[in-house]
Amino acid sequence: IFIDINMPGMTGFDILTRIREKENHKNTFVVMYSNGIDKATTVYAKKIGANTCIRKTSTVDELAAIIGNLVSSGSTYTNVVN
């Protein structure tokens, strides 16, 4: 799931929190996707359950690599691409 952090009415963090509350989504891959990704945002997003965070300016190749790493690793957390 790709979630934009900045949305009207409810933030991406709110949505991420709701996703992680559901038992059947504890292991769902969630990527926070926004222009405003910085270190503090990344730390907070991972703390509440994001697998990784990427900037909207990431290239298609970077997005493909992130998705490939998430799927092949099976791990909950990966490195951040900035």
Side-chain angles (χ1 to χ4, degrees):
I1 299 173
F2 280 76
I3 304 173
D4 193 332
I5 293 172
N6 301 309
M7 297 184 294
M10 180 181 281
T11 70
F13 298 125
D14 296 331
I15 293 171
L16 175 59
T17 300
R18 288 185 180 194
I19 289 169
R20 291 300 184 222
E21 289 172 350
K22 305 289 184 188
E23 189 62 37
N24 59 334
H25 290 295
K26 295 277 185 196
N27 295 317
T28 300
F29 295 121
V30 177
V31 177
M32 301 303 287
Y33 189 66
S34 188
N35 287 326
I37 299 290
D38 59 16
K39 187 166 181 115
T41 301
T42 299
V43 168
Y44 180 69
K46 285 189 169 190
K47 180 179 179 182
I48 63 171
N51 294 85
T52 195
C53 296
I54 59 175
R55 292 181 194 269
K56 285 185 177 178
T57 56
S58 297
T59 66
V60 172
D61 289 339
E62 288 172 326
L63 293 174
I66 289 166
I67 293 167
N69 287 337
L70 287 170
V71 171
S72 67
S73 72
S75 67
T76 305
Y77 297 98
T78 62
N79 292 329
V80 176
V81 173
N82 282 320

